[in-house]
Amino acid sequence: MKKEAEEKTEEQTPAKPVFSNTVTVWIGIISSIITIILTVYTTSNKVRLDKLENSLNERSTEVEESKERVARYQWVYSLYGDLNSTDVRRKNFAVGLITLALNDNESKKLFSALQTSTDTVLQSVGQSGLRALKASSVNTELASLISKVDTSNSAARISAVGELEKKYASSPEAITQILNFYSTENISTLSQDGIINGLYFLSRTDPTVWSQQQIQQGRDIIKRILALKPGQKTAKELDRFEKVLGTASKKQ
């Protein structure tokens, strides 16, 4: 009986390691859960902190932009005396400075408001400002079109010359800028396409808007291009251009 009791005791002893292993497994599971919770918490906090930092940076940028706008508006207001000046050049100069200091939208709002004023002086300033804005817009478009007259992109060249002919055939400024294309320093850098495209526009301009100086410049250009021994198409445009200059001379 004693021997059987001892054998039963020996059979029961292995139960202790099993319990120990179970505890270890649960400790590992709990540790993993805690680690996951901490990771999620830390990540969540980082996201919140990043959002807060971005929000503060945006707010700081807005404040700086607001300060910059106020400074510009105060400076524009300081020009009030010049806008009231009887000296037309001084007044126009002040208007020009305002268009430089304010963006297009701000300038348009300011000059539109001045134009509706009951004060005739302010009305005049508003009208001058709106004209200046319109001229600036035209100059930007014109410069963009002229820059494409000698571009390597055929479609862009054709489109630019077409727009120039449609919108600027009666523009002395456009004529002058295209004439300057063929200056002694620049003509050697023009491609054959650039040369003929410029001539195409000039030979389709309104002869009545040409000045004597532009006519003489055009005749000098014809000599320069002929010296390059142009092809048949270029020669044809040169003949047409020469006729425009002849008509322009008669209108003087």
Side-chain angles (χ1 to χ4, degrees):
M1 294 294 292
K2 183 178 181 181
K3 187 176 182 180
E4 289 179 0
E6 289 176 355
E7 288 177 355
K8 288 181 180 180
T9 303
E10 289 176 359
E11 290 176 358
Q12 293 173 355
T13 52
K16 292 182 179 179
V18 173
F19 176 76
S20 177
N21 289 340
T22 302
V23 172
T24 302
V25 169
W26 276 105
I27 290 174
I29 292 172
I30 293 171
S31 298
S32 298
I33 293 173
I34 292 173
T35 301
I36 292 170
I37 292 172
L38 289 174
T39 302
V40 171
Y41 178 76
T42 302
T43 303
S44 176
N45 274 348
K46 186 178 185 306
V47 170
R48 284 198 296 269
L49 288 173
D50 288 343
K51 286 182 178 179
L52 178 60
E53 183 178 1
N54 290 335
S55 177
L56 290 173
N57 288 336
E58 289 175 1
R59 180 58 181 165
S60 176
T61 301
E62 289 175 359
V63 170
E64 290 302 317
E65 290 176 349
S66 178
K67 288 180 179 178
E68 187 267 342
R69 280 197 301 273
V70 170
R72 285 190 292 114
Y73 297 162
Q74 288 177 336
W75 183 79
V76 167
Y77 182 73
S78 72
L79 296 175
Y80 179 77
D82 291 337
L83 294 175
N84 276 319
S85 174
T86 55
D87 186 335
V88 176
R89 288 176 299 179
R90 185 175 181 181
K91 181 187 294 184
N92 289 340
F93 186 68
V95 170
L97 289 176
I98 290 173
T99 60
L100 288 175
L102 304 180
N103 62 42
D104 288 348
N105 188 45
E106 291 170 335
S107 297
K108 188 174 181 179
K109 286 182 177 179
L110 172 63
F111 292 128
S112 294
L114 293 178
Q115 191 179 29
T116 60
S117 171
T118 55
D119 188 306
T120 56
V121 174
L122 293 181
Q123 284 180 12
S124 174
V125 171
Q127 292 166 1
S128 299
L130 291 175
R131 283 197 299 269
L133 286 177
K134 184 177 180 180
S136 175
S137 175
V138 169
N139 289 340
T140 300
E141 181 187 41
L142 179 58
S144 175
L145 291 173
I146 289 177
S147 69
K148 296 173 184 174
V149 169
D150 194 28
T151 184
S152 59
N153 187 305
S154 176
R157 286 197 309 270
I158 294 171
S159 175
V161 174
E163 286 295 301
L164 283 170
E165 181 187 358
K166 183 171 72 173
K167 296 181 178 179
Y168 297 97
S170 298
S171 167
E173 182 180 358
I175 292 170
T176 295
Q177 290 199 37
I178 292 295
L179 287 173
N180 291 338
F181 246 46
Y182 302 97
S183 66
T184 305
E185 301 79 13
N186 196 51
I187 193 168
S188 61
T189 67
L190 294 176
S191 68
Q192 289 299 316
D193 289 323
I195 290 175
I196 196 169
N197 284 338
L199 285 174
Y200 184 93
F201 168 70
L202 292 173
S203 62
R204 287 162 179 78
T205 54
D206 180 359
T208 63
V209 302
W210 283 70
S211 68
Q212 190 60 49
Q213 181 180 351
Q214 289 172 328
I215 293 170
Q216 184 56 53
Q217 191 176 354
R219 285 175 175 157
D220 292 339
I221 286 169
I222 290 176
K223 294 177 183 177
R224 291 191 197 113
I225 296 176
L226 286 173
L228 298 175
K229 301 186 183 318
Q232 186 176 357
K233 288 184 178 180
T234 303
K236 182 179 178 181
E237 288 302 325
L238 279 172
D239 289 340
R240 183 165 180 163
F241 179 37
E242 196 165 11
K243 290 177 182 177
V244 170
L245 294 179
T247 303
S249 295
K250 294 176 183 177
K251 299 290 183 181
Q252 293 296 308

